[in-house]
Amino acid sequence: MRHLWRGAATVLEANRTGASTVPSRALYPHQWSWDSAFIAIGLRRLDPVRARREIETLFSAQWADGRVPHIVFNPAVPLDAYFPSPDFWHSSLAAPAPRAPETSGIVQPPVHALAVWLVHRAAPRDPASRAFLARMYPRLVAWHRYLSESRDLGGAGLAALVHPWESGMDNSPCWDAPLARVLPAPRASYRRADLDHGSAADRPTDLDYGRYVRLAAAYRDSGYADRAERPDGARFAVEDPGFNALLIASEYALAAIAAELGEDPGPRTRRARGLTEVLVERLWEPGAGLFLSRDLEGKAADPPEYGAAGLLPLLLPWLPEGIAGALRAALRGPRFGLGTRSLLVPSHDLTSPQYDPRRYWRGPAWFNVNWLLLRGLRQHGDPAGAAALRDAFLRAAGATAFAEYVDPGTGRGLGAREFGWTAALCLDLLAEEGVGE
C-alpha cells in the first residue's frame, strides 16, 4: 500500500495552489467548500499545518452572516476557465459578503466542524493546533447559526437548500421533481466550461444546467436573501437528509471542540440530539427504510426517488437502533446493492428508471460518500462491513488514478482523475493501518 500512499500524496501536492488545494487542476480550478474539508481530513495524516491552513483559507472568505460560500475564486484563474465565474456571482456587491476574495453566494454541506475536530486530533498536544481550535470555534458557531436561523425555511429546525448545488449531489434524480417547475435560463446566455474537460455523457444535461443557472441568478438578484420572494419559475427549497445529517454530525464535533476549549458542550450535544429527532420525524420513510428529501415548495415526487443522501444519517450516534439497522439493510438491499451488484455504494437507487451509472450524481459511486458511510457502519456496530468497504474504496481509488467517481458496478473511473478528496481520503484510510506514518 506504500505506492498508493505516495500516489495520493503526489496528487495533493500537484493540486496545491498557494494556501489551498483545488479538487482538480482542469475541471475545478478554484477552492471548493466541502472538498477542502475532506482534503484537510486527509492532509492531517500528511501535514497537520497544511491541513489547518486549508480550512482557515476557506473560512477567510466567510460572509458576515456566517455563511461559508461553496467556491472561493482564485483571481489568477481566467474567468472563462469555470462557469459560473466571479462575474456571474458579483459577491463583492452583496452586503454580507467580503469585498475580497470573490466567492459564490450559495453553500455546500457543513462537514467543516467534523473536519476541524479531526485535524486537531492529528496533533492534539501541539499548541498551534489548540490555537487553531480557538480561532475556528467562533467561525463554526456563526456558520451553524446561519444554517439554523436563515435556512430554517420549513420552520422545524432543519436547514433547507435553495439550490441543488448546495447538496453537493448536484444533479441527483431527487431534485428532478422540484426542478421541474424551474424555467431554465436560455442556452445562449451562458457557456458551459465543464464540457471542455469532461464527456457530456458524464455531466448534467443542458436542461438541468439551464435550471441551475436560473436559480442561481434569481438568488443573486435577491441579494442572496434566503427568505426573499423569487420570480415564478425560480424557486427551490428542499430539506435534504444528507446535508442535515452532516450538520448534526458537525454539531457533535462542535460539542467536542467546546469541551476541548473548556466550554460547556451540553448545548451543542442537546442541539444535535434534538435535530436528530426532527430529522427522523420529518424525513424518515419507514416503508423504504431510507430518509427522503422534503420539497417545501410543492408536493412529494410520486414515485419517490431514493438517493445516497438518504443513507448518510447512519453517521449519527443517537439514531434509533431500528432506523440504523434499516439503513444498514438498505445499503446491501436491491436499491444500493453493496457487496452484490455494487463494489461501492452508488449515488442513486439501482432500481430507479433514472439511475445512470456514469452521469455525475445520478448513479456513480463517489469516494467521499463512501468514506462517510464507512464511518456510519463503524458507528453502528458493523466493523466487518466497514472493513470490506474500506478495502473496496482503496482498490477502486488506486485502479482509477484517484478518479472523481466510478461506475459502482464495474469500478470504471469517471470524471476527473487525480481528484483531491479521493486522494485525501485514501491517505486517511491508509493511515489508520499505519501505512505512510
Side-chain angles (χ1 to χ4, degrees):
M1 289 293 183
R2 290 285 303 175
H3 68 286
L4 192 58
W5 176 276
R6 288 192 295 269
T10 298
V11 168
L12 293 183
E13 185 58 34
N15 288 6
R16 186 173 187 168
T17 305
S20 64
T21 310
V22 299
S24 161
R25 281 285 181 181
L27 189 55
Y28 306 103
H30 301 286
Q31 184 177 25
W32 259 259
S33 172
W34 76 325
D35 290 76
S36 276
F38 289 118
I39 286 168
I41 288 168
L43 281 175
R44 72 188 170 120
R45 305 293 197 171
L46 195 65
D47 183 348
V49 173
R50 185 178 163 196
R52 296 193 290 265
R53 188 181 304 121
E54 182 78 31
I55 294 174
E56 293 203 83
T57 301
L58 174 68
F59 273 77
S60 70
Q62 186 174 24
W63 289 27
D65 61 7
R67 85 180 72 192
V68 178
H70 97 297
I71 302 174
V72 180
F73 291 106
N74 180 351
V77 173
L79 289 177
D80 63 358
Y82 183 82
F83 179 85
S85 51
D87 58 346
F88 173 90
W89 296 103
H90 295 301
S91 69
S92 59
L93 302 179
R99 302 285 74 82
E102 294 282 353
T103 74
S104 66
I106 60 175
V107 303
Q108 277 191 321
V111 70
H112 309 88
L114 175 61
V116 166
W117 178 241
L118 292 177
V119 166
H120 170 66
R121 294 304 302 161
R125 294 182 179 84
D126 184 347
S129 185
R130 185 175 177 82
F132 163 72
L133 276 193
R135 289 192 301 272
M136 287 304 305
Y137 184 70
R139 289 182 171 273
L140 292 166
V141 168
W143 171 216
H144 285 214
R145 183 185 303 117
Y146 166 75
L147 294 173
S148 65
E149 295 178 359
S150 297
R151 288 302 188 89
D152 182 13
L153 304 183
L158 298 183
L161 314 176
V162 299
H163 195 290
W165 288 341
E166 296 193 314
S167 70
M169 303 184 183
D170 300 5
N171 68 324
S172 167
C174 296
W175 317 139
D176 288 356
L179 279 175
R181 62 176 171 266
V182 176
L183 180 68
R187 183 64 182 86
S189 67
Y190 61 93
R191 176 184 172 275
R192 291 189 60 177
D194 63 317
L195 298 182
D196 294 343
H197 306 288
S199 167
D202 294 351
R203 304 292 298 170
T205 64
D206 281 346
L207 176 60
D208 283 339
Y209 217 89
R211 287 168 167 156
Y212 304 151
V213 173
R214 167 79 169 179
L215 287 171
Y219 189 44
R220 174 200 64 203
D221 293 346
S222 76
Y224 301 107
D226 295 306
R227 298 179 186 274
E229 289 296 320
R230 306 278 193 273
D232 287 342
R235 290 195 298 269
F236 185 94
V238 173
E239 292 174 349
D240 173 47
F243 190 101
N244 281 282
L246 291 174
L247 174 59
I248 296 167
S250 277
E251 281 289 333
Y252 281 114
L254 266 184
I257 294 169
E260 187 82 350
L261 294 174
E263 298 193 18
D264 180 9
R268 291 288 160 193
T269 301
R270 289 191 291 274
R271 173 167 162 73
R273 292 186 187 181
L275 283 176
T276 302
E277 293 173 1
V278 176
L279 184 73
V280 170
E281 178 184 345
R282 288 178 69 82
L283 304 185
W284 174 245
E285 179 49 58
L290 206 67
F291 287 82
L292 300 181
S293 60
R294 177 189 285 254
D295 180 7
L296 300 176
E297 292 282 346
K299 64 181 182 180
D302 186 18
E305 293 289 349
Y306 303 103
L311 300 167
L312 289 182
L314 193 61
L315 279 168
L316 305 179
W318 287 90
L319 199 65
E321 181 54 36
I323 290 179
L327 290 173
R328 292 196 304 270
L331 273 174
R332 298 178 173 89
R335 296 194 191 280
F336 297 95
L338 182 61
T340 52
R341 289 185 60 190
S342 303
L343 302 171
L344 295 173
V345 182
S347 53
H348 200 66
D349 176 4
L350 298 168
T351 70
S352 168
Q354 307 307 319
Y355 171 76
D356 184 332
R358 65 176 295 178
R359 192 180 292 277
Y360 216 40
W361 288 96
R362 301 183 75 85
W366 289 74
F367 289 93
N368 65 328
V369 171
N370 278 265
W371 180 87
L372 291 166
L373 291 172
L374 187 159
R375 291 178 66 87
L377 289 171
R378 291 174 177 166
Q379 178 71 54
H380 289 285
D382 190 355
L389 184 53
R390 172 193 175 276
D391 291 345
F393 181 116
L394 294 173
R395 283 195 301 271
T400 62
F402 307 100
E404 184 179 1
Y405 48 96
V406 300
D407 181 315
T410 67
R412 176 192 172 199
L414 299 165
R417 299 300 191 274
E418 299 179 342
F419 197 72
W421 72 32
T422 305
L425 297 176
C426 274
L427 290 178
D428 185 57
L429 295 180
L430 289 168
E432 291 178 346
E433 302 298 318
V435 178
E437 293 185 325

